[in-house]
Amino acid sequence: MNTIKVELDQDIRPLSEFRKKSADFIERVKNNKRPIVLTQHGKSAAVLVDVGEYQRMIDKMDLAEELMQAERDIVNGNVVSNDEAKKQMRERLKEWK
């Protein structure tokens, strides 16, 4: 599993520097895939993230939501047997033909 690592000495930058060198910041994020934390008045204000890395984060969150829903369904007894699931899938496939 890939984890996003922030290099504190390189990846936390003031917003004023980003304003001056935005193209450089974007190129750096695209190349090294690490986010940059932008600060404003000494406090974290925003995070600049590569688009591909952002999409992976969204996909992981979506999957986590689906897994949590599946666990809730199991706890609540909203399940079907394997044979019943196969039967339902066959019926749906027939409808598509």
Side-chain angles (χ1 to χ4, degrees):
M1 174 160 69
N2 291 342
T3 57
I4 298 173
K5 183 178 179 182
V6 175
E7 297 289 337
L8 296 177
D9 61 336
Q10 299 172 26
D11 299 337
I12 299 177
R13 312 307 305 165
L15 184 58
S16 58
E17 185 180 340
F18 174 74
R19 285 186 190 123
K20 294 175 190 172
K21 304 176 184 177
S22 59
D24 293 341
F25 276 54
I26 291 169
E27 192 62 31
R28 193 167 105 201
V29 166
K30 286 167 69 175
N31 289 335
N32 69 20
K33 306 298 184 209
R34 290 193 327 254
I36 296 176
V37 177
L38 300 175
T39 62
Q40 189 173 31
H41 307 295
K43 296 181 180 179
S44 56
V47 179
L48 184 63
V49 182
D50 173 72
V51 171
E53 293 300 315
Y54 180 75
Q55 185 63 55
R56 279 186 273 288
M57 289 188 305
I58 296 298
D59 292 346
K60 285 180 183 180
M61 287 189 290
D62 288 345
L63 179 58
E65 286 288 330
E66 290 173 8
L67 290 171
M68 288 188 299
Q69 181 59 51
E71 287 179 352
R72 286 191 294 269
D73 287 344
I74 291 169
V75 168
N76 293 327
N78 298 332
V79 296
V80 295
S81 69
N82 189 35
D83 289 337
E84 179 60 26
K86 286 180 184 178
K87 179 183 170 188
Q88 290 176 11
M89 290 304 294
R90 284 187 196 103
E91 289 172 5
R92 289 182 184 162
L93 288 171
K94 286 179 187 176
E95 291 173 6
W96 287 0
K97 291 183 178 182

